[in-house]
Amino acid sequence: MIVFVFFLACAKLSTFEARKPSVEPPMPPLSTLTTPEEQKGWRLYRVAGCIGCHSPPFPDAKHLGGGRDLPTVFGRFYAPNISMDMKDGIGDWSEEDFFRAMRKGISPDKKPYWPTFPYMAYTKMSDEDLRSIWVYLKSQKPVVGKAKPKELNPNYRLPGLIRIWRWMEFQTGEYKPDPNLNERENRGRYLSQAVAYCDQCHTPRNRLGRLVRNHYMAGGGNPGKSEIHPNLTPHMEKGIGRWSEQDIVHFLSTGQKP
């Protein structure tokens, strides 16, 4: 009980990113020699949101070099270098290391990651899709540069707190199709829950960093962030219930609302 009282103590929250996007992400185009699996990994790298943090839209950013700061209820985190650089990146990782990180949220040195890395969703990705991302990363040039260390808020510095969070919130396991949905609906559910992790941002969280599941996809603010995430439910007034399929396609393609 004492731990949870401490957990809920008034935190010094870092709510704003130090830098806002200002240019296109530094992601190079595919070459004519790219294999089909690398092409698939390239697409998944974008859909899975990797590009926004690890190839951030800043003038001095490098593809896969990381560096974007992520303010959360836990503190401020910095996206790491995930290029194949042996010193600063993940060049010494094996495919098994990569799968463990994505599926279990555990680093090669057996330490648990904080959930700013959305392994809560990535754990649901298929082996085939995870392998395609790995193949794509392996095909890219290594870059030099190590991200700044995380800056935990004072009330999250007690050893073992991340393990408590994982015990309460994290469930491993690949996505299982819903038998009540058709193939297309299951594909959308897989993309939104496993790959693009829409629910991880558009479902509000409490001060323990746990999803408020009775407001699933209903949007709102999250502790530690300045952004207000929109409601993605079919609510006719507060959600996107009035949007057509073409409206959604247009928005995801251009960023423009109906």
Side-chain angles (χ1 to χ4, degrees), residues 91-148:
D92 60 347
W93 283 28
S94 65
E95 184 177 301
E96 181 183 3
D97 290 332
F98 179 74
F99 269 64
R100 186 190 303 111
M102 298 287 277
R103 274 273 162 73
K104 298 182 178 179
I106 299 293
S107 70
D109 57 3
K110 306 301 187 290
K111 293 181 180 179
Y113 287 113
W114 286 82
T116 46
F117 169 35
Y119 55 85
M120 305 78 69
Y122 293 158
T123 186
K124 301 175 184 178
M125 289 180 67
S126 67
D127 286 351
E128 181 183 350
D129 283 351
L130 286 177
R131 187 163 291 109
S132 293
I133 295 176
W134 174 248
V135 169
Y136 171 70
L137 295 177
K138 291 282 287 184
S139 72
Q140 300 301 292
K141 294 180 180 179
V143 299
V144 175
K146 193 175 276 293
K148 294 171 61 176

Side-chain angles (χ1 to χ4, degrees), residues 2-256:
I2 294 176
V3 170
F4 288 101
V5 171
F6 186 73
F7 229 8
L8 290 168
C10 183
K12 179 183 178 183
L13 298 177
S14 307
T15 58
F16 293 93
E17 288 187 61
R19 294 191 293 175
K20 291 295 184 181
S22 57
V23 297
E24 289 293 314
M27 189 171 179
L30 296 177
S31 75
T32 55
L33 301 177
T34 304
T35 67
E37 188 162 26
E38 289 168 0
Q39 292 177 20
K40 182 180 179 182
W42 176 85
R43 290 194 299 272
L44 287 167
Y45 181 81
R46 298 175 69 95
V47 175
C50 314
I51 185 173
C53 293
H54 300 288
S55 303
F58 305 135
D60 58 342
K62 301 174 183 177
H63 177 48
L64 305 180
R68 188 165 192 168
D69 66 298
L70 307 167
T72 73
V73 66
F74 303 112
R76 188 176 293 272
F77 293 75
Y78 297 88
N81 182 331
I82 59 168
S83 78
M84 289 299 141
D85 186 83
M86 295 297 293
K87 179 181 177 182
D88 296 332
I90 60 173
D92 60 347
W93 283 28
S94 65
E95 184 177 301
E96 181 183 3
D97 290 332
F98 179 74
F99 269 64
R100 186 190 303 111
M102 298 287 277
R103 274 273 162 73
K104 298 182 178 179
I106 299 293
S107 70
D109 57 3
K110 306 301 187 290
K111 293 181 180 179
Y113 287 113
W114 286 82
T116 46
F117 169 35
Y119 55 85
M120 305 78 69
Y122 293 158
T123 186
K124 301 175 184 178
M125 289 180 67
S126 67
D127 286 351
E128 181 183 350
D129 283 351
L130 286 177
R131 187 163 291 109
S132 293
I133 295 176
W134 174 248
V135 169
Y136 171 70
L137 295 177
K138 291 282 287 184
S139 72
Q140 300 301 292
K141 294 180 180 179
V143 299
V144 175
K146 193 175 276 293
K148 294 171 61 176
K150 61 182 178 291
E151 301 164 3
L152 289 176
N153 285 326
N155 53 334
Y156 291 96
R157 292 176 186 168
L158 281 179
L161 285 187
I162 182 56
R163 297 185 186 280
I164 295 174
W165 181 89
R166 287 169 61 93
W167 172 73
M168 293 190 301
E169 188 71 5
F170 179 46
Q171 295 181 336
T172 61
E174 192 173 337
Y175 175 81
K176 302 298 182 185
D178 186 335
N180 297 314
L181 301 178
N182 61 38
E183 183 177 355
R184 191 181 187 196
E185 290 167 341
N186 266 304
R187 175 63 175 166
R189 188 166 178 258
Y190 171 74
L191 287 172
S192 63
Q193 291 187 0
V195 186
Y197 60 90
C198 308
D199 56 340
Q200 297 296 318
C201 290
H202 292 274
T203 303
R205 294 179 185 269
N206 61 26
R207 289 198 174 275
L208 298 180
R210 302 187 67 189
L211 294 176
V212 183
R213 298 185 189 280
N214 60 340
H215 290 282
Y216 184 75
M217 294 283 232
N222 285 316
K225 283 193 172 184
S226 58
E227 294 90 349
I228 299 296
H229 301 287
N231 185 323
L232 295 187
T233 71
H235 193 282
M236 296 301 289
E237 300 298 331
K238 298 182 179 180
I240 58 173
R242 297 180 184 276
W243 289 27
S244 67
E245 180 179 323
Q246 188 55 44
D247 288 336
I248 295 174
V249 170
H250 180 74
F251 175 73
L252 292 176
S253 301
T254 67
Q256 295 178 336

